[in-house]
C-alpha cells in the first residue's frame, strides 16, 4: 500500500444558527447569520504506511471534526488536506447515517462516501447485510436501531470497502466485545499491509493497544504530538490541572 494522510494548517469553521439551534460547517459558500466558531485551527498532521495514531482530548476538542474532514464529511475552510488511499470510516454512531433511511439504504450511502461508484455501492449491499448480522432490521429505518446496531452497520461497510486507511471514532467503544475484537483484528491487518489507522476515543487502554503515536487536541488545536504514552500523560496532566496551559 502507499496510503498517505497530510493535513497542513487545517481549519474548520462552524456556524451556530440561533433559530435552528444547530451547529453546521460554515464553509466558504455558506452565508447565514449566527455566531461563528472554529472547530479546528492550525492543525497539521502527516501519516504514512504503517502509522497508527490516537487522537486524544476532551469531548469537543476537535477529534471527531478532524476525522470527518479526513473522511470527506466536512470540507476544510483553510489549509490543505490530502488523503491517498481508500478510506473505511467508523465515525461517531450518528455520523454519516440518515435515521430516515433503512440499513440497506444507509449501507449504499456510506459506500459512496467511502469512494465507491453508485453501481459498486448497490452491489455491495447484500454483503453488508450478511456482515452486519442485523437480520430483518437491515430493512428497517435506522431510527429504530440501538447504538450497537448502528455501529455494526458502519463497521460492515468500513470492512467491505477494503480500506487502506481506517478512521475509528468513539463508535468503537459502542460495539459489543465480540465485534470490538473483530475491528481490532482488522485494524492490525490493515497496519500489517502498510495501511494507516487513526483512532479517537476515551478508552486509553484500547487506544494504546492499537496505536504507537498520539495527538492531543484541545479547543481545536494540537497541544502535543509524539509517542502514545507521552502524549497520553500530557493530556491527563492537563485534564487534572485545567487552569495550567
Amino acid at each position: 500500500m502507499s496510503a498517505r494522510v497530510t493535513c497542513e494548517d487545517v481549519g474548520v469553521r462552524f456556524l451556530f444558527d440561533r433559530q435552528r439551534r444547530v451547529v453546521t460547517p460554515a464553509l466558504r459558500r455558506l452565508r447565514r447569520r449566527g455566531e461563528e466558531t472554529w472547530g479546528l485551527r492550525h492543525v497539521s498532521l502527516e501519516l504514512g504506511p504503517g502509522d497508527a495514531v490516537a487522537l486524544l482530548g476532551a469531548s469537543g476538542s476537535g477529534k471527531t471534526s478532524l476525522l470527518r474532514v479526513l473522511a470527506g464529511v466536512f470540507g476544510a475552510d483553510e489549509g490543505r488536506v490530502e488523503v491517498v488511499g481508500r478510506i473505511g470510516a467508523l465515525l461517531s454512531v450518528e455520523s454519516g447515517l440518515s435515521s430516515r433511511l433503512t440499513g440497506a439504504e444507509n449501507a449504499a450511502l456510506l459506500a459512496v462516501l467511502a469512494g465507491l461508484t453508485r453501481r459498486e455501492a448497490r452491489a455491495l449491499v447484500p454483503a453488508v447485510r450478511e456482515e452486519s448480522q442485523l437480520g430483518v432490521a437491515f430493512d428497517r429505518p435506522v431510527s429504530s436501531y440501538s447504538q450497537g446496531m448502528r455501529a455494526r452497520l458502519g463497521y460492515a461497510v468500513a470492512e467491505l470497502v477494503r480500506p487502506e486507511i481506517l478512521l475509528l471514532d468513539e463508535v468503537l467503544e459502542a460495539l459489543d466485545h465480540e465485534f470490538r475484537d473483530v475491528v481490532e483484528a482488522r485494524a492490525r491487518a490493515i497496519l500489517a499491509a502498510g495501511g494507516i489507522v487513526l483512532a479517537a476515543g476515551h478508552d486509553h487502554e484500547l487506544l494504546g493497544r492499537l496505536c504507537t503515536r498520539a495527538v492531543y487536541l484541545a479547543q481545536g488545536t494540537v497541544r502535543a504530538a509524539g509517542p502514545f504514552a507521552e502524549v497520553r500523560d500530557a493530556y491527563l496532566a492537563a485534564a487534572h490541572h485545567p487552569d495550567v496551559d
Side-chain angles (χ1 to χ4, degrees):
M1 293 186 185
S2 57
R4 185 173 70 255
V5 172
T6 302
C7 294
E8 292 182 357
D9 207 30
V10 169
V12 174
R13 283 199 310 273
F14 291 93
L15 199 64
F16 181 69
D17 186 326
R18 292 174 180 170
Q19 291 182 338
R20 298 188 180 184
R21 297 185 179 180
V22 295
V23 175
T24 55
L27 301 180
R28 296 180 181 86
R29 66 177 179 272
L30 216 57
R31 295 291 183 268
R32 292 178 179 170
R33 294 180 181 178
E35 181 183 351
E36 182 180 286
T37 185
W38 286 93
L40 294 173
R41 200 81 199 269
H42 306 307
V43 173
S44 294
L45 185 67
E46 185 77 32
L47 303 178
D51 281 341
V53 178
L55 297 179
L56 305 181
S59 298
S61 61
K63 305 185 301 297
T64 295
S65 293
L66 179 56
L67 290 175
R68 289 180 179 182
V69 168
L70 298 179
V73 178
F74 289 169
D77 290 288
E78 63 180 18
R80 184 176 74 90
V81 177
E82 183 180 13
V83 177
V84 178
R86 176 166 287 177
I87 289 177
L90 261 175
L91 303 182
S92 61
V93 173
E94 301 295 333
S95 182
L97 294 178
S98 173
S99 295
R100 296 181 179 181
L101 300 182
T102 66
E105 291 166 338
N106 270 286
L109 174 62
L110 290 174
V112 170
L113 290 174
L116 273 63
T117 66
R118 291 183 180 181
R119 178 176 295 180
E120 290 171 334
R122 287 194 296 268
L124 192 71
V125 169
V128 176
R129 180 189 298 273
E130 181 177 353
E131 182 75 20
S132 65
Q133 301 176 22
L134 290 172
V136 295
F138 192 69
D139 295 309
R140 295 173 181 166
V142 166
S143 58
S144 66
Y145 286 18
S146 66
Q147 284 197 338
M149 293 168 70
R150 290 172 184 246
R152 281 174 176 257
L153 176 60
Y155 168 72
V157 178
E159 163 70 11
L160 291 168
V161 298
R162 301 189 181 279
E164 298 167 303
I165 301 168
L166 185 61
L167 307 179
L168 300 172
D169 204 350
E170 295 171 17
V171 65
L172 183 58
E173 297 163 19
L175 289 167
D176 56 50
H177 288 291
E178 178 186 357
F179 247 59
R180 187 182 300 184
D181 291 343
V182 171
V183 174
E184 282 192 59
R186 183 56 181 149
R188 296 185 190 284
I190 289 172
L191 291 171
I196 293 171
V197 172
L198 189 60
H202 300 287
D203 187 336
H204 294 168
E205 180 180 351
L206 173 61
L207 293 173
R209 291 200 301 268
L210 283 177
C211 304
T212 56
R213 294 165 49 201
V215 174
Y216 163 32
L217 291 167
Q219 297 180 336
T221 62
V222 175
R223 298 299 177 89
F228 178 84
E230 292 180 13
V231 176
R232 177 202 58 204
D233 291 347
Y235 164 54
L236 293 176
H240 286 109
H241 300 87
D243 294 332
V244 178
D245 198 327

